[in-house]
């Protein structure tokens, strides 16, 4: 569409576009008007940055909040996220050469420019441009045309709401659109999960899938290897409230190693179990994901899990020497198979050893909880869903060790203030808590939690974090399931 024409349209016929925005974001007239004003401002900014670009498109890709099923995706066990109304928006214009030129509306992120070429190397670890590169360079065969773009985002970063994957997804769709390619969204989600590992995190496929396939008013149960999705209706009387602990966990930094430790420990734990199965059952089973073991091993049941925890993975922690001995490989083979990171360095043995039993137990239990949670929602059993959320939190805190004192405080107080369920959401080490609330209790819950956390706990325990009282509603909010990524106003 022509940028000047569309700016005029938004001036003259604003009301014409309100319904589309209300449908996408599940919002009221006022919020829809705010979004339209934002689009208008971004279009004007784009015109100033790229005066030569006349034909434009607008892509959006949402962040997500995961209701239950944390760190299960890279183990091929299910998750249950919703897409939220916070998103990445890209105003773009295709160009005839292979150059990508990107400005960020946030002046904290500098201009980036790169070529669609096999020789294009990643920026330094942590650079925001790497997420755009991940979205564009994943398949060089598919297209050669670049684009000029202005990128806007309102998903808090490093908060477990998937700002990074929303940027990868939005960049990929912008690239495909610029080359007139209509992707199959499920296949694209699978590709982009691998593509995002470009930035160095050994993550799974939850975030890209929900950002692409999210549905209004519904959660998605996502299954992996093979990737499939099932829509799950959220009962009308409940809602989900996100609370941001304001403790950031940027996965491009320290939290990346803490995060990567978990997939590494899961893979080692699985191979110890694989080895045991081969010896014990005299069979050729060799599972590549914990989820495959759960789904396909004929003798998988509670007795089998107990046997593993009591007799196979029965130590509190394991040293490299112990694991090498169990697996019957040498230290070099061990390092190359399990500890090699994307940047070519090796993951160091943690000072408290590899916690194989705890990680294995948590992942198996969390995967089973997701299936039970979906049944609970489908049977309108809100109390059970809440109970499973709390169990998930305990597992994340005690076995997977991804909680923080701030998250612990929020979950404890939320349950006292009317939440039926509460748990950390996303990768952990900071970030957000998700709370299940009856809609009728939402207002009083929000007021109590604002007061307890943002006006008391944070000022007392973290004087270095400045709480802007005018935007507290950005830190604690009801999230409605929204539509997945795509072109808007096309
Ligand atoms: P967030 O919360 O966005 O950092 C990460 C992974 C997910 C999943 C969750 C934990 C990426 C891009 N995302 O998400 O795949 O493993 O942690 O459930 O690595």
């Amino acid at each position: 569409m022509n940028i000047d024409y569309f700016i005029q349209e938004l001036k003259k016929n604003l009301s014409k576009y309100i319904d589309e925005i209300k449908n996408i974001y599940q919002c009221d007239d006022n919020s829809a008007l705010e979004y339209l004003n934002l689009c208008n401002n971004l279009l004007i900014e784009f015109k100033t940055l790229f005066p030569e670009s006349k034909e434009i498109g607008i892509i959006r890709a949402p962040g997500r909040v995961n209701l239950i099923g944390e760190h299960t995706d890279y183990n091929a066990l299910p998750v249950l996220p919703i897409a939220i109304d916070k998103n990445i928006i890209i105003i773009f214009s295709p160009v005839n050469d292979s150059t990508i030129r990107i400005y960020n509306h946030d002046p904290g992120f500098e201009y980036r420019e790169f070529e669609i070429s096999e020789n294009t190397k990643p920026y330094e670890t942590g650079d925001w441009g790497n997420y755009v590169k991940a979205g564009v360079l994943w398949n060089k065969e598919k297209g050669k045309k670049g684009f000029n773009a202005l990128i806007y985002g309102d998903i808090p970063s490093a908060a477990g709401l998937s700002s990074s994957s929303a940027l990868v997804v939005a960049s990929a769709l912008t690239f495909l659109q610029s080359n007139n390619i209509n992707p199959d969204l499920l296949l694209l989600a699978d590709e982009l999960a691998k593509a995002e590992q470009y930035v160095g995190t050994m993550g799974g496929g939850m975030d890209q899938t929900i950002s692409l396939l999210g549905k209004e008013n519904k959660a998605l149960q996502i299954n992996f290897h093979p990737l499939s999705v099932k829509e799950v209706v959220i009962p009308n009387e409940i809602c989900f409230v996100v609370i941001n602990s304001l403790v950031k966990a940027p996965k491009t930094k320290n939290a990346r190693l803490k995060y990567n430790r978990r997939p590494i420990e899961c893979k080692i734990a699985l191979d110890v179990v694989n080895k045991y199965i081969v010896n014990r059952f005299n069979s050729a089973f060799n599972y590549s994901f914990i989820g495959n073991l759960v789904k396909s091993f004929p003798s998988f049941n509670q007795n089998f899990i107990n046997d593993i925890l009591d007799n196979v993975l029965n130590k509190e922690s394991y040293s490299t020497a112990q694991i090498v001995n169990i697996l019957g490989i040498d230290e070099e083979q061990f390092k190359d198979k399990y500890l090699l990171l994307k940047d070519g360095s090796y993951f160091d043995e943690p000072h408290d050893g590899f916690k194989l039993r705890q990680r294995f137990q948590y992942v198996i239990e969390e995967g089973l909880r997701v299936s039970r949670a979906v049944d609970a929602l489908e049977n309108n059993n809100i109390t059970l869903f809440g109970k499973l959320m709390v169990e998930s939190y305990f597992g994340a805190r005690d076995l997977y060790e991804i909680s923080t004192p701030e998250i612990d405080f929020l979950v404890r107080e939320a349950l006292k203030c009317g939440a039926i369920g509460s748990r950390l959401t996303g990768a952990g080490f900071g970030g957000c808590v998700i709370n299940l609330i009856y809609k009728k209790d939402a207002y009083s819950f929000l007021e109590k939690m604002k007061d307890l956390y943002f006006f008391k706990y944070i000022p007392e325990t973290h004087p270095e974090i400045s709480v802007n009282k005018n935007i507290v509603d950005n830190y604690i909010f009801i999230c409605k399931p929204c539509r997945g990524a795509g072109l808007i106003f096309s």
Side-chain angles (χ1 to χ4, degrees):
M1 86 196 141
N2 179 281
I3 188 163
D4 296 316
Y5 170 79
F6 193 57
I7 290 174
Q8 284 308 315
E9 267 289 286
L10 283 180
K11 244 189 224 146
K12 282 193 293 191
N13 294 323
L14 200 65
S15 55
K16 189 169 137 193
Y17 298 96
I18 284 190
D19 281 346
E20 178 171 359
I21 293 292
K22 279 169 71 179
N23 285 338
I24 293 174
Y25 293 107
Q26 296 294 297
C27 64
D28 59 18
D29 282 9
N30 282 343
S31 309
L33 273 173
E34 276 175 34
Y35 281 118
L36 287 170
N37 279 331
L38 170 70
C39 279
N40 190 46
N41 293 340
L42 293 175
L43 287 167
I44 292 168
E45 189 179 345
F46 181 89
K47 235 171 100 78
T48 321
L49 295 168
F50 299 108
E52 72 285 10
S53 295
K54 294 294 173 210
E55 282 304 305
I56 56 115
I58 307 178
I59 291 276
R60 62 169 276 285
R64 63 97 184 96
V65 62
N66 190 20
L67 305 183
I68 193 160
E70 226 59 76
H71 288 263
T72 43
D73 57 354
Y74 53 80
N75 287 302
L77 283 164
V79 293
L80 188 67
I82 59 177
I84 59 174
D85 66 354
K86 303 199 182 306
N87 53 196
I88 297 284
I89 296 177
I90 302 188
I91 316 276
F92 72 98
S93 179
V95 294
N96 284 325
D97 59 25
S98 298
T99 312
I100 308 284
R101 300 176 188 86
I102 39 171
Y103 285 95
N104 198 312
H105 173 75
D106 181 340
F109 298 99
E110 282 172 14
Y111 174 73
R112 292 283 175 261
E113 181 175 322
F114 64 89
E115 291 297 311
I116 307 169
S117 149
E118 282 172 18
N119 303 325
T120 300
K121 300 272 173 300
Y123 296 114
E124 256 178 45
T125 306
D127 192 293
W128 78 281
N130 278 337
Y131 294 95
V132 182
K133 283 190 173 174
V136 169
L137 299 176
W138 58 280
N139 189 341
K140 295 171 204 82
E141 303 314 311
K142 284 229 160 107
K144 283 286 176 210
K145 271 193 180 181
F147 53 80
N148 294 337
L150 169 64
I151 299 187
Y152 165 89
D154 61 359
I155 310 168
S157 65
L161 299 180
S162 226
S163 56
S164 62
S165 301
L167 181 51
V168 173
V169 166
S171 304
L173 289 180
T174 301
F175 168 66
L176 293 170
Q177 196 61 42
S178 299
N179 287 279
N180 290 320
I181 298 166
N182 271 330
D184 173 297
L185 294 185
L186 205 59
L187 289 180
L188 181 62
D190 225 3
E191 292 289 348
L192 292 183
K194 287 175 241 150
E196 192 165 339
Q197 301 212 346
Y198 182 86
V199 300
T201 314
M202 301 157 96
M206 159 166 64
D207 304 350
Q208 303 80 5
T209 310
I210 186 67
S211 184
L212 278 164
L213 291 153
K215 286 277 171 310
E216 298 91 329
N217 292 319
K218 293 189 181 113
L220 283 194
Q221 177 185 334
I222 306 175
N223 306 303
F224 302 93
H225 301 283
L227 186 62
S228 69
V229 297
K230 171 182 151 178
E231 295 178 9
V232 181
V233 176
I234 312 259
N236 199 26
E237 67 268 36
I238 55 168
C239 64
F240 290 96
V241 173
V242 167
I243 311 178
N244 189 337
S245 73
L246 299 185
V247 175
K248 291 196 170 213
K251 275 210 300 323
T252 48
K253 300 199 181 120
N254 189 20
R256 180 165 54 96
L257 285 177
K258 289 194 198 163
Y259 181 92
N260 285 346
R261 174 177 175 178
R262 272 71 188 169
I264 288 172
E265 289 172 317
C266 288
K267 177 97 187 75
I268 301 171
L270 176 63
D271 280 352
V272 171
V273 174
N274 270 329
K275 175 118 190 174
Y276 170 74
I277 293 176
V278 170
N279 292 337
R280 165 96 157 59
F281 296 89
N282 200 13
S283 72
F285 291 117
N286 188 18
Y287 296 100
S288 27
F289 297 99
I290 295 179
N292 294 358
L293 172 79
V294 173
K295 286 175 271 192
S296 315
F297 181 48
S299 307
F300 184 85
N301 57 25
Q302 191 58 47
N303 287 341
F304 172 76
I305 301 175
N306 295 344
D307 180 31
I308 297 293
L309 298 179
D310 293 344
N311 303 313
V312 183
L313 296 171
N314 52 0
K315 294 192 195 328
E316 271 303 292
S317 77
Y318 289 78
S319 65
T320 300
Q322 285 169 322
I323 298 169
V324 161
N325 188 30
I326 297 170
L327 293 178
I329 53 178
D330 66 37
E331 205 170 314
E332 282 311 301
Q333 288 169 319
F334 174 71
K335 280 176 67 184
D336 286 339
K337 182 156 184 205
Y338 301 99
L339 308 185
L340 187 59
L341 301 172
K342 192 89 193 159
D343 63 4
S345 65
Y346 289 102
F347 183 85
D348 289 331
E349 178 180 317
H351 66 91
D352 51 349
F354 294 100
K355 302 214 177 163
L356 307 186
R357 183 176 57 74
Q358 298 86 325
R359 310 309 190 221
F360 185 81
Q361 182 182 350
Y362 165 78
V363 165
I364 298 251
E365 290 175 354
E366 182 74 350
L368 297 174
R369 269 193 291 268
V370 175
S371 311
R372 293 174 63 206
V374 168
D375 285 349
L377 273 192
E378 288 178 338
N379 291 309
N380 221 24
N381 192 340
I382 311 294
T383 314
L384 176 58
F385 191 87
K387 189 168 164 278
L388 292 165
M389 286 177 75
V390 177
E391 280 177 18
S392 163
Y393 157 71
F394 284 133
R397 185 190 69 183
D398 301 335
L399 296 172
Y400 227 60
E401 299 179 294
I402 53 175
S403 190
T404 62
E406 296 77 18
I407 300 274
D408 296 340
F409 176 89
L410 281 169
V411 170
R412 201 168 53 239
E413 295 306 318
L415 293 171
K416 287 189 211 153
C417 292
I420 314 152
S422 179
R423 55 182 291 280
L424 84 76
T425 184
F429 317 111
C432 293
V433 166
I434 174 96
N435 304 280
L436 169 61
I437 312 284
Y438 281 112
K439 279 184 185 160
K440 65 178 176 47
D441 300 332
Y443 179 77
S444 87
F445 178 77
L446 288 167
E447 291 309 303
K448 282 186 209 157
M449 291 306 292
K450 270 182 208 171
D451 190 47
L452 276 172
Y453 192 69
F454 298 107
F455 301 142
K456 294 200 178 107
Y457 182 88
I458 285 286
E460 278 163 21
T461 57
H462 288 285
E464 78 286 2
I465 298 181
S466 72
V467 173
N468 182 341
K469 296 196 174 169
N470 299 323
I471 57 160
V472 161
D473 291 347
N474 288 353
Y475 309 145
I476 171 166
F477 51 90
I478 297 177
C479 51
K480 297 193 193 124
C482 294
R483 188 186 298 173
L487 267 180
I488 44 179
F489 311 123
S490 54

